[in-house]
Amino acid sequence: MSARLARYLPILDWGPGYGRNALTNDLIAAVIVTIMLIPQSLAYALLAGLPPQAGLYASIVPILLYAVFGTSRALAVGPVAVVSLLTASAVGQVAEQGTAGYAVAALTLALLSGGFLLLLGVLRLGFLANFLSHPVIAGFITASGVLIATSQFKHLLGVDAGGHTLIEMVRELATHLDDTSGLTLLIGAGATAFLFWVRKGLKPLLRRLGAGPLVADIATKAGPVAAVVVTTLAVFGFGLADQGVAIVGDVPQSLPPLTMPGLAPDLLRQLVLPAILISIIGFVESISVAQTLAAKKRQRIDPDQELIGLGAANLGAAFTGGYPVTGGFARSVVNFDAGAETPAAGAFTAIGLAIAALALTPLVNFLPKATLAATIIVAVLSLIDLSILKNTWRYSRSDFAAVAATITLTLALGVEIGVASGVILSIVLHLYKTSQPHVAEVGLVPGTHHFRNIHRHDVTTDPRMLTLRVDESLYFVNARFLEDLIQRRVSETRELRHVVLMCSAVNEIDYSALESLEAVNQRLREVGIGLHLSEVKGPVMDRLKTTHFLKDLNGEVFLAQYDAWCRLTGKGEDDRASAAE
């Protein structure tokens, strides 16, 4: 019973052995992540089209729930840029930003996302996320980074511009360029330049001045906080809000409230597909980070339990004034590098954010939105990786097509259409590639028992025997391809008496492929040619034994391809040795 509980409550695994050393490391990591997360939470809520406090709320209870149900000891859960953009895109289609309906829709989106993740986890269906290939994810994140950065230029310029696609945003910005607020631009550009310098130059400078690595790291992570403090004081001290600088305004001074998502059928219907997309994208991003960090400490991540942990976190966000959350790359790396030992570091981070929500929110009243925009721009530019286009072009043109299409469609038509198109294109390209599997005609390498492609190696062949090595599982998509290939080769070789399918790379034969093999077997029987199999894997053979195929086979099944060679050509060890000489 305890083992089963630990399976669904990983806290029971690491909690009993929690000691002073882990406590110290977790507290240090929590301080650093909290400092980093306060301005990020406010900024990402702005990106999602929600009040700034929603970012804080989405970073408290969800983190606590993940600490109980999650398996990663370093993953930092909360609002992230891509999910915030997806939230704004989805919710913006059902409610007007700034209204109560918009906030309720965001809660509903978190509810649906959490429920979907939880369902996948309980049913152990985490493999479904594999339908999002890495090139598609990389292309989508790159395009999202461009959209996110572009969407924040309106706050840097102090203009009222909208748009959901790159073309719309650029057109809107160009239209309102004459309305640019000089003071807002000064604050935004200054904050952006400062944050870039902090990210690249502050830590080396502090190290040269003799600061310890921990102090330098904390100071670097506190860069956004410094930008927030300085610009807020400047706006307050000089009365810049009265001169056109947009500010955050009043932020409730409270812990996350108890909220209720909307359950209207029409609202649920409109948000269910975006919720599924957000869930899968968030899970893929989260599990990638979690597994990378866990591998560095030889720890194990359970993907299905991660679904439960993230599902619980999103459900928590839905009932405490937040919006969809997932594991963030930058925060998780910071958490890991700061020495986090257990998920308790996340719980301590949540406590720090709760204190901030209670005590610090009045201080952000005069925080300029341009500073938050600068924080977002600097954070998301690291997501943009155009090298994926060059790399995929060199390695795989089909992957390049998926990346290029995902980037183009995301920028031109919006995030939901972009990622959905990328997924569909990936599946179509995969089906196309597997519909024409690599099938090599092989011969015996002289002096060995090995068989290799006749077009790549100097091998021995026999005109009476055709050996085809099938380098793909056989299923309904490619069954006809193999059938046609065998028919063509048989018609080209008059001396042919035996066809051998070398099945060392075949992991599965589905029913459609079985019927195709039966048809091939019947046709070869009619022309006096035997159909043989070699090196069939155990699981595949087990399935074949449940059918009449082996009984009706117009040939034999050989354990090794060399056995087939010796038996069907009559060339044994002596003949092979002579051929080698």
Side-chain angles (χ1 to χ4, degrees), residues 6-256:
R7 155 73 176 84
Y8 290 103
L9 294 172
I11 191 174
L12 298 178
D13 180 34
W14 58 264
Y18 196 69
R20 179 176 298 178
N21 184 60
L23 173 64
T24 301
N25 291 334
D26 285 345
L27 284 172
I28 293 173
V31 169
I32 295 175
V33 174
T34 301
I35 291 173
M36 178 184 183
L37 192 52
I38 290 174
Q40 273 196 358
S41 297
L42 299 173
Y44 289 151
L46 181 70
L47 175 60
L50 293 164
Q53 65 268 21
L56 289 175
Y57 297 160
S59 304
I60 298 176
V61 173
I63 296 178
L64 292 173
L65 289 171
Y66 180 82
V68 174
F69 294 100
T71 59
S72 173
R73 302 196 175 193
L75 192 69
V77 172
V80 299
V82 173
V83 171
S84 298
L85 177 65
L86 286 167
T87 299
S89 175
V91 177
Q93 296 178 20
V94 300
E96 185 178 349
Q97 186 173 326
T99 64
Y102 190 95
V104 170
L107 298 175
T108 304
L109 194 63
L111 176 70
L112 291 171
S113 179
F116 181 70
L117 288 167
L118 202 61
L119 180 64
L120 290 182
V122 171
L123 297 179
R124 307 183 71 84
L125 296 176
F127 70 89
L128 291 176
N130 295 333
F131 285 106
L132 276 177
S133 68
H134 174 71
V136 167
I137 286 291
F140 173 71
I141 290 178
T142 292
S144 296
V146 174
L147 287 178
I148 291 168
T150 305
S151 71
Q152 297 308 298
F153 275 96
K154 64 182 180 183
H155 297 297
L156 292 185
L157 300 175
V159 299
D160 183 17
H164 295 289
T165 67
L166 184 62
I167 297 173
E168 291 175 354
M169 291 178 189
V170 172
R171 184 172 60 241
E172 285 281 303
L173 288 172
T175 301
H176 294 86
L177 201 57
D178 293 338
D179 301 329
T180 299
S181 166
L183 288 174
T184 301
L185 179 59
L186 179 63
I187 293 173
T192 303
F194 172 74
L195 291 174
F196 270 118
W197 175 77
V198 166
R199 174 168 289 199
K200 300 294 184 181
L202 180 58
K203 190 172 184 177
L205 175 62
L206 293 176
R207 295 290 287 144
R208 287 196 300 269
L209 294 176
L214 180 60
V215 172
D217 196 50
I218 293 177
T220 300
K221 301 302 183 296
V225 176
V228 166
V229 171
V230 171
T231 55
T232 300
L233 290 176
V235 171
F236 174 74
F238 295 102
L240 300 182
D242 297 328
Q243 301 179 47
V245 175
I247 59 175
V248 169
D250 292 332
V251 177
Q253 188 175 1
S254 68
L255 292 173

Side-chain angles (χ1 to χ4, degrees), residues 415-434:
V415 289
E416 293 175 359
I417 294 178
V419 70
S421 301
V423 173
I424 294 172
L425 184 58
S426 292
I427 295 174
V428 169
L429 289 173
H430 172 73
L431 292 175
Y432 174 74
K433 287 188 291 185
T434 57

